Amino acid sequence: MTVRVPPAASRDELRGFVARMLGWTNNRAVDLALRSIELAANHRAALVLRGAEDLVPIAHSLHRRALGANLPFIVCDPRRGDTPASVRLPASYESGLRAVAAATGGTLCMRACRLPNDFSAATSRLQEIDDVMLAVCVASGDDDDAPLLVRPAPICVPPLATRNDELSRIIDEYVQDAIAELDASGTGFADTDHAWVREHAAGSLAEIEKATLRLVALRASSNTTIAAARLGMAQVSLVRWLGRRCPSARVAP
């Protein structure tokens, strides 16, 4: 597997990613988001993300850029229970206290709609330590008066449907991330690849990130077996993913 583990991003790189996430013309929102991330990274406040899509992958992306991909990113999700990390999903714990312990030095992520039974004990533990960043994901439409929606302001991720004029740039930037992560600088990403992502895998930022990473791996490899190895996933899973989005596609084994 040739995936490179990047260190935490510089402030300029982090700002660039936040602008990609919120919109390049939304400077006020970007400034507020950076302030919220800084406070959370310094363990002075929770990082609250709000939006219509699944926000855990976005929280994971922010974690990699704010803290570094080598530090733990743990989800506390009673529905998933205790499950190890995979290519598709980060590690999860049912218990908040166990999740806090596993997230030492990194980030603990929770969905506001799926808090653990020991949430009070977990928050008490978080108040006693200063080596875990807490990220909370809140779905759009949830109560605006919820206790988690306090200062600093939540980061409100706009739906991609409202950013059609920026979609091409969003895809291009994720392509560059994928090329850097897979150390595939000599890999071409054709206009047809870009169009494929736009048509088949542009429902959310997380979907674009996954699609560009997998397409770059395919372009950098002679067959799907090698591409899957680059990605750290099973070859059959990669083929199925591609087939679900483009059933007529023919891929090398």
Side-chain angles (χ1 to χ4, degrees):
M1 182 176 174
T2 59
V3 174
R4 182 175 63 88
V5 177
S10 68
R11 183 174 176 82
D12 286 345
E13 290 170 334
L14 181 59
R15 183 180 185 88
F17 177 76
V18 172
R20 183 197 312 177
M21 183 174 68
L22 303 182
W24 283 277
T25 61
N26 202 350
N27 291 325
R28 174 62 175 165
V30 171
D31 288 340
L32 289 174
L34 287 172
R35 188 180 307 169
S36 295
I37 294 167
E38 182 177 355
L39 289 170
N42 289 323
H43 315 109
R44 294 165 59 192
L47 179 66
V48 179
L49 301 172
R50 190 169 192 186
E53 63 180 273
D54 183 5
L55 297 168
V56 171
I58 292 179
H60 198 179
S61 292
L62 286 172
H63 159 86
R64 293 195 301 268
R65 289 166 173 83
L67 300 183
N70 58 322
L71 296 177
F73 178 87
I74 304 296
V75 177
C76 182
D77 187 341
R79 181 180 298 178
R80 284 184 58 203
D82 293 353
T83 53
S86 68
V87 172
R88 293 180 57 250
L89 297 169
S92 172
Y93 286 83
E94 181 177 357
S95 162
L97 282 172
R98 292 189 63 207
V100 171
T104 299
T107 298
L108 170 62
C109 183
M110 296 183 177
R111 291 182 174 90
C113 62
R114 297 187 203 165
L115 298 178
N117 291 331
D118 60 348
F119 177 68
S120 294
T123 54
S124 295
R125 177 62 182 143
L126 285 168
Q127 290 170 353
E128 297 171 354
I129 60 178
D130 59 1
D131 58 356
V132 174
M133 182 171 81
L134 175 62
V136 180
C137 301
V138 181
S140 294
D142 283 359
D143 187 358
D144 287 337
D145 296 325
L148 292 170
L149 299 181
V150 296
R151 287 186 176 181
I155 299 176
C156 297
V157 181
L160 280 182
T162 66
R163 302 179 60 197
N164 191 59
D165 58 333
E166 294 184 322
L167 188 54
S168 291
R169 182 175 177 183
I170 292 170
I171 294 171
D172 287 342
E173 292 204 358
Y174 274 116
V175 169
Q176 295 308 310
D177 285 351
I179 289 172
E181 183 172 345
L182 293 171
D183 194 20
S185 57
T187 302
F189 197 86
D191 291 343
T192 52
D193 295 323
H194 186 111
W196 189 94
V197 173
R198 191 174 186 119
E199 180 178 356
H200 297 287
S204 67
L205 294 172
E207 190 177 15
I208 293 173
E209 181 177 30
K210 179 189 293 186
T212 52
L213 186 66
R214 293 182 178 185
L215 278 184
V216 167
L218 286 165
R219 293 292 170 260
S221 308
S222 58
N223 55 53
T224 56
T225 300
I226 296 174
R230 281 176 174 267
L231 295 164
M233 64 187 297
Q235 185 259 0
V236 66
S237 298
L238 179 59
V239 172
R240 286 174 179 169
W241 171 85
L242 184 60
R244 284 194 299 270
R245 285 152 184 82
C246 192
S248 62
R250 290 175 172 263
V251 291

